[in-house]
Amino acid sequence: QVQLVESGGGLVQAGGSLRLSCAASGLPVSTYTMAWFRQAPGKERQFVATISGSVTSYVDSVKGRFTISRDNAKNTVYLQMNSLKPEDTAVYYCASKSGVLRSLAAEYPYWGQGTQVTVSS
């Protein structure tokens, strides 16, 4: 049984940083495509970042500010978020799939419960 458990969300001022964690069980993050999505109130779920093997991809709005990484020994994926902006406020979800990386939420069968990130201005 696959489980993805996010943590690390919270309230931070604009310009601050947070590191989100996604602890996985039931699948190896080293060989699965792992991704972060976010959903703000009243908006669709949005792709943020993904990692597959040594390849990473980011939505343009977070490039240069966010970094996705993984620790294979801990079977955990991270999202380091720097220079946070109020528009980054959302529930952040960890997701996983087998095969190559994709940015469409519908292609990911495994999801965590989400963690709230709130950036105040």
Side-chain angles (χ1 to χ4, degrees):
Q1 183 179 358
V2 175
Q3 273 196 317
L4 303 174
V5 180
E6 302 98 332
S7 61
L11 173 64
V12 64
Q13 288 188 331
S17 298
L18 283 174
R19 188 178 80 157
L20 305 184
S21 299
C22 172
S25 59
L27 60 83
V29 301
S30 59
T31 59
Y32 271 63
T33 291
M34 304 298 297
W36 288 95
F37 290 79
R38 65 187 179 186
Q39 189 166 19
K43 295 188 176 181
E44 292 187 353
R45 195 163 295 190
Q46 178 193 35
F47 165 76
V48 176
T50 185
I51 183 168
S52 181
S54 60
V55 179
T56 59
S57 179
Y58 300 88
V59 67
D60 285 347
S61 60
V62 308
K63 284 181 181 177
R65 301 189 297 123
F66 291 11
T67 303
I68 188 171
S69 63
R70 63 170 182 259
D71 184 329
N72 295 337
K74 295 182 178 180
N75 213 36
T76 298
V77 176
Y78 302 99
L79 185 68
Q80 178 66 45
M81 306 186 295
N82 299 328
S83 302
L84 282 161
K85 304 176 181 180
E87 51 263 44
D88 295 319
T89 295
V91 177
Y92 283 70
Y93 297 90
C94 177
S96 182
K97 65 181 292 293
S98 60
V100 299
L101 58 83
R102 291 285 189 265
S103 60
L104 292 177
E107 298 203 35
Y108 287 79
Y110 306 115
W111 291 85
Q113 83 288 351
T115 185
Q116 176 71 46
V117 171
T118 303
V119 184
S120 64
S121 57

